[in-house]
Amino acid sequence: MNNISDLNQINTEKLFHAKMTYGQLFLFNIGNNTYVFRPLTVKELESVRSLVNVVNECFVEDWIVQQCYVYGTQNIEYLLNKEKCFITKTLSVKILERSNIPDENSLVQNFNKSRELANTIQETFESFISKAFPVISPSEVKDLTTIQQINLAAKAEVLLGTTLNIGKPNVREHLKKYRFREGAEVLGVDDIVSPEVADKFE
Amino acid sequence: MTPELKDKIDKLKSEGHAVFAITISGVKYYYRSINRQEYRALQNSLLKTAESLKGTKPDAEISIMVKDSGEEDLVKIGLIAPPITDNSPAGVLSSLSDLIMEASGFGSEAEPEVL
């Protein structure tokens, strides 16, 4: 992992903002220079695809680099005018490649990763709150603080009449190791006699 | 290296160009990298050439002509000294064109780190 050593306050804020907005950033180390780019959005990608055969290749490359530039030890004007010409080309190609889902296998892989993420408590909160308050999109829920999310989730439970199912049901597996004598009466252990466990215990 | 050539090279370096030297067929050539602005102008000029030739010749022939013209123009920009003459060996122009492209970052396989 490379450190970006000369980041000032403004660039740090830009970097954080871009990370929050686009989720993924690409850091290139080229010669003595470091550049950070964001991926193209789906809308931008579709525009590039539809215009790539009618617009001068050079302009498309410049456009991609200009759109996605987040930070650099050299500014965007340098990159578009003074940087070695094929570096800009390489950058645009790499940004394009990484903004795209190249084949079905990668798509399935990415989708499976998203499925795993969707099972986390955070993702459950986002979906649940969005379901109860349709004006808030899951990505907007991310803009809230954890406490705000918890409060909203509680309100969402009331609105939807559903209890949020967080974590695994408590089946208390450790109790299954116990061998009870036939006819034995267990007293004073709420944990064991709770309906949740009792009906599962033999 | 003459003092004039040294001054020229120093000036080019101060403008951000990378300068190289290579000996081809016993002659030492000095060349530099091409920046994006120069490349854009070159591409535009080639595009205009291709458009002006459209319909006058088969597409394949136009493509070869534009490629040759591109190589020549690239060397015109990137070659510092000595100039190519009619007596220069046939392959020099093509070799220099490849070297100038390489000096300008062609074939760079910079892989990004995902943040």
Side-chain angles (χ1 to χ4, degrees), chain A residues 1-2 19 24-28 56 58-59 61-62 80-88 90 94 98, chain B residues 16 18 33-37 39-40 43-44 47 101 103-106 108-115:
Chain A
M1 174 75 193
N2 292 298
K19 175 72 185 167
Q24 199 180 35
L25 298 175
F26 308 128
L27 183 141
F28 290 87
N56 182 345
C58 198
F59 287 120
E61 291 162 6
D62 286 351
L80 293 178
N81 295 304
K82 300 292 176 196
E83 180 64 278
K84 289 173 186 168
C85 60
F86 291 107
I87 295 295
T88 316
T90 303
K94 299 286 175 190
R98 275 158 184 75
Chain B
S33 57
I34 306 284
N35 67 30
R36 191 68 185 169
Q37 201 169 29
Y39 179 72
R40 203 180 298 124
Q43 286 287 308
N44 281 340
L47 206 67
M101 280 173 71
S104 307
F106 186 76
S108 156
E109 282 303 314
E111 289 298 325
E113 190 178 308
V114 179
L115 302 180

Side-chain angles (χ1 to χ4, degrees), chain A residues 2-18:
Chain A
N2 292 298
N3 288 321
I4 308 172
S5 53
D6 73 330
L7 269 180
N8 59 24
Q9 184 65 29
I10 296 169
N11 284 329
T12 308
E13 275 175 27
K14 266 169 69 181
L15 210 60
F16 271 90
H17 189 256

Side-chain angles (χ1 to χ4, degrees), chain A residues 61 64 88-98:
Chain A
E61 291 162 6
I64 292 171
T88 316
K89 191 185 190 70
T90 303
L91 289 172
S92 71
V93 170
K94 299 286 175 190
I95 295 167
L96 197 61
E97 275 176 11
R98 275 158 184 75

Side-chain angles (χ1 to χ4, degrees), chain B residues 61-93:
Chain B
E61 204 176 318
I62 294 175
S63 169
I64 293 167
M65 285 174 74
V66 169
K67 187 181 170 289
D68 287 347
S69 167
E71 262 185 6
E72 225 173 289
D73 291 349
L74 194 75
V75 173
K76 261 185 210 162
I77 303 168
L79 181 63
I80 304 166
I84 301 280
T85 65
D86 290 343
N87 291 328
S88 300
V92 167
L93 190 109

Side-chain angles (χ1 to χ4, degrees), chain A residues 152-165:
Chain A
L152 261 188
K155 289 188 175 90
E157 280 191 337
V158 178
L159 256 174
L160 295 171
T162 322
T163 305
L164 191 55
N165 188 15

Side-chain angles (χ1 to χ4, degrees), chain A residues 186-199:
Chain A
V186 183
L187 296 169
V189 186
D190 291 339
D191 195 37
I192 294 172
V193 296
S194 70
E196 188 189 1
V197 173
D199 60 354

